[in-house]
């Protein structure tokens, strides 16, 4: 086992950890510079030919704060090598621990009655989180993600399940989502965890260098399930388990032990009020800023639509939003006039009775509209929906009324949040997705919502838009 641990602590791990720690240290140091310039906007001014004493004091204090911030992240395991480090750069973890660090700083400052400006704390924290997000996303997008796609960096996974069909289904999904960073090294059917099966497991682990095991639903009923997890732990193998499809039910599955009994409780997945305020504030700031920045693009598209197919420039349609309330959904017109009246004459790739209509070669789409659709430029007017509070930048896909009319109780869960301009469906295939997959992605998004995930979806949308996959 000792040798195995040494083998895993290879040069690749050191490089990955350096890709995290060094940019983080730079971002945190830059936040100190930002805070200092905020406190002393005229720091170049001299008093009797020398800098003011307060400037020297703040420089020293900020250096200490930078070092302590970095050390607190290291000490709390932020840079511990694991699969989450490889793929998502644990942004949520670093944000929580940074907030904890500054809360402790603020508490100590209050207790000790320090004369240090509290606004410097706030500026350093706010700018530091922004810088950390930028450097983490940049390193992931420019360095780590290409390495994952080329399988230069990945975690070797073994999938264990009762049925061969289940193994194939889950492995196909993981192969399709290569950016998760898993390489399916082995698939092992397990009717029973016994000594002979463990021998086969050991053989595969030894030759395939397995670092992750995924246990599929049903494995928990085996009497030796917990012993097997302990066995993997001794081998320094990380075990993942899918207990049930709770992510597609639209509820949180919360551990709530009762006198030692491991209860799992379903709780309604709602965003708390403070996070709703933050999300709404971000929506407004992002939408207004982007509309100002892209105003020449708006004008150019409007002129192109007008010249190619005349009025109207915009197309509006009734969609279903938060809590089933309908609203007008705006887009640049990409089809001929009165296209809705001849929809029955065009074949639907999802089947004629499907509630979502899509056709890769829809003859109603204009030449300009085909370009707008490929790069999602026709959806830019939806930022007006964000401003009027009928939509969010990130959220579930805006549903059609006839689509909602066939929802069952599970599908209706996706109406507890405002629909978004982009969302998990936008970065996972767009129009290539069927209704079940699209709704499942939305429900999973609601259950696992976080502000950092919203930011990540926005960044990923840029790449999806340029690829144009599933857009027609």
């Amino acid at each position: 086992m000792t040798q195995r641990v040494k083998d895993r602590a290879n040069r690749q791990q050191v490089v990955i950890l350096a890709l995290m720690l060094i940019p983080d240290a730079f971002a945190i140091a830059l936040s100190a510079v930002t805070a200092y310039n905020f406190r002393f906007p005229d720091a170049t001014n001299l008093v009797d030919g020398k800098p003011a004493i307060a400037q020297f004091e703040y420089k020293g204090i900020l250096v200490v704060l930078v070092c302590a911030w970095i050390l607190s992240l290291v000490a709390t395991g932020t840079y511990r090598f694991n699969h989450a480090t490889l793929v998502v750069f644990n942004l949520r973890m670093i944000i929580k621990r940074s907030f904890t660090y500054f809360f402790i700083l603020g508490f100590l400052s209050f207790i000790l009655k320090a004369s240090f400006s509290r606004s410097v704390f706030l500026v350093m924290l706010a700018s530091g989180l922004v810088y950390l997000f930028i450097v983490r996303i940049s390193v992931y997008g420019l360095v780590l993600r290409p390495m994952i796609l080329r399988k230069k960096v990945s975690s070797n996974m073994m999938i264990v399940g009762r049925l061969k069909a289940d193994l194939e289904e889950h492995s196909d999904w993981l192969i399709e989502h290569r950016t998760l960073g898993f390489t399916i090294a082995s698939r092992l059917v397990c009717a029973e965890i016994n000594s002979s099966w463990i021998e086969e497991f050991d053989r595969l682990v030894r030759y395939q260098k397995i670092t992750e095991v995924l246990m599929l639903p049903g494995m928990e009923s085996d009497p030796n399930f917990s012993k097997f997890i302990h066995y993997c732990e001794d081998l320094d193998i990380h075990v993942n388990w899918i207990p049930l499809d709770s992510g597609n039910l639209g509820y949180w599955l919360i551990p709530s032990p009762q006198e030692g009994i491991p209860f799992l409780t379903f709780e309604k997945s709602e965003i708390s009020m403070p996070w709703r305020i933050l999300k709404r504030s971000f929506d407004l700031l992002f939408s207004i800023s982007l509309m100002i920045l892209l105003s020449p693009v708006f004008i150019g598209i409007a002129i192109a639509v007008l010249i190619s197919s005349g009025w109207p420039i915009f197309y509006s349609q009734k969609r279903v939003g938060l809590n089933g309330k309908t609203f007008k959904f705006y887009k640049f017109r990409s089809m001929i006039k009165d296209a809705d009246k001849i929809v029955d004459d065009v074949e639907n790739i999802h089947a004629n009775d499907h509630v979502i209509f899509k056709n890769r070669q829809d003859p109603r789409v204009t030449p300009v509209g085909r370009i707008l659709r490929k790069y999602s430029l026709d959806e830019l007017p939806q930022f007006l929906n964000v401003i009027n509070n009928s939509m969010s930048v990130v959220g579930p896909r805006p549903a059609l009324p006839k689509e909602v009319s066939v929802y069952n109780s599970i599908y209706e869960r996706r109406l507890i949040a405002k629909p978004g301009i982009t969302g998990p469906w936008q970065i996972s295939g767009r129009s290539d997705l069927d209704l079940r997959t699209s709704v499942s992605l939305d429900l999973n998004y609601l259950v696992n919502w976080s502000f950092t995930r919203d930011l990540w979806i926005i960044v990923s949308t840029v790449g999806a838009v340029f690829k144009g996959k599933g857009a027609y």
Side-chain angles (χ1 to χ4, degrees), residues 6-7 19 31 61 110 171 173 247 255 328 361 395 408 432 446:
K6 290 181 179 179
D7 290 341
L19 285 172
S31 73
I61 293 172
F110 175 77
S171 62
W173 187 88
K328 278 193 173 182
Q361 302 298 327
N408 57 30
D432 288 336
L446 295 174

Side-chain angles (χ1 to χ4, degrees), residues 249-252 267-271 276 279 320-325 395-397 407 409-419 442-449:
L249 298 179
Y251 291 87
W252 291 98
E267 292 189 5
K268 193 174 181 180
S269 51
E270 288 185 327
I271 304 174
R276 283 206 297 262
K279 184 175 174 66
V320 181
L322 179 64
N323 297 324
K325 184 179 179 180
R397 179 181 50 80
Y407 277 179
S409 60
I410 294 177
Y411 282 18
E412 286 177 354
R413 295 289 302 153
R414 69 189 298 277
L415 300 178
I416 66 171
K418 284 183 289 187
D442 287 338
L443 292 173
N444 183 271
Y445 164 79
L446 295 174
V447 168
N448 297 290
W449 182 89

Side-chain angles (χ1 to χ4, degrees), residues 315-430:
Y315 169 78
S316 66
Q317 188 180 46
K318 184 183 289 186
R319 295 291 177 106
V320 181
L322 179 64
N323 297 324
K325 184 179 179 180
T326 59
F327 67 96
K328 278 193 173 182
F329 174 84
Y330 298 104
K331 300 176 71 172
F332 280 118
R333 185 167 59 83
S334 59
M335 290 187 174
I336 60 175
K337 298 176 184 179
D338 300 322
D340 291 340
K341 296 179 180 179
I342 57 172
V343 65
D344 293 336
D345 298 335
V346 183
E347 183 182 2
N348 187 356
I349 64 169
H350 291 303
N352 292 331
D353 58 347
H354 200 288
V355 293
I356 298 178
F357 184 92
K358 289 294 178 182
N359 185 303
R360 290 184 177 86
Q361 302 298 327
D362 195 328
R364 299 173 302 160
V365 180
T366 66
V368 170
R370 205 166 295 280
I371 297 173
L372 297 181
R373 286 188 167 207
K374 181 176 182 179
Y375 299 106
S376 297
L377 295 173
D378 60 322
E379 298 178 5
L380 288 178
Q382 291 168 36
F383 285 105
L384 294 171
N385 288 113
V386 176
I387 293 173
N388 70 21
N389 204 26
S390 56
M391 291 180 66
S392 180
V393 175
V394 182
R397 179 181 50 80
L400 292 162
K402 64 178 181 179
E403 174 186 343
V404 175
S405 66
V406 299
Y407 277 179
N408 57 30
S409 60
I410 294 177
Y411 282 18
E412 286 177 354
R413 295 289 302 153
R414 69 189 298 277
L415 300 178
I416 66 171
K418 284 183 289 187
I421 296 177
T422 186
W425 86 96
Q426 186 82 347
I427 60 176
S428 302
R430 300 157 88 179

